[in-house]
Amino acid sequence: WPALLTANSANDCVELEDVQALLSLCESGGHRLPVISMVVARGLSDTVVDCLIESSLPHARLLALQALQDRLFKQRDEPPEKLRKLRADPCHIVRVAAQH
């Protein structure tokens, strides 16, 4: 999985289908999401971040949060709706992380 979640060149990106398959495997089999580096998280597309936000895995939602916060830090804009959604997350850890 780490190879599928790493862009190999400037033109490559993490594929939504790969993320969906990984999340499905983890959610249905009770597996933990593999560690995904912040370098990879920063390059995730909006559709991949949306997919992570909708996951039932708190770790996936935390990864989406990290990607969003990195973008916000660079843009210094108003928090997007995606971040506001994570601030109301049912997982306490995700909710607290989103508020800071």
Side-chain angles (χ1 to χ4, degrees), residues 1-98:
W1 286 110
L4 293 174
L5 299 175
T6 304
N8 294 323
S9 71
N11 296 330
D12 285 346
C13 62
V14 175
E15 297 289 333
L16 176 62
E17 294 80 18
D18 292 335
V19 173
Q20 289 172 327
L22 176 61
L23 290 174
S24 177
L25 177 68
C26 292
E27 290 168 351
S28 65
H31 303 290
R32 294 186 59 134
L33 193 65
V35 174
I36 299 171
S37 75
M38 272 310 299
V39 172
V40 172
R42 286 183 194 123
L44 294 176
S45 68
D46 288 342
T47 55
V48 170
V49 171
D50 290 343
C51 180
L52 293 169
I53 288 171
E54 297 303 321
S55 172
S56 65
L57 300 171
H59 190 246
R61 296 192 306 274
L62 280 172
L63 181 62
L65 175 62
Q66 289 174 330
L68 288 172
Q69 286 176 331
D70 186 64
R71 292 174 191 176
L72 285 175
F73 180 74
K74 290 179 182 175
Q75 297 173 356
R76 300 197 186 265
D77 291 336
E78 280 293 308
E81 180 60 34
K82 296 172 188 179
L83 185 56
R84 288 192 289 272
K85 180 177 181 177
L86 289 170
R87 288 178 176 167
D89 197 89
C91 176
H92 179 72
I93 293 172
V94 174
R95 189 171 57 247
V96 169

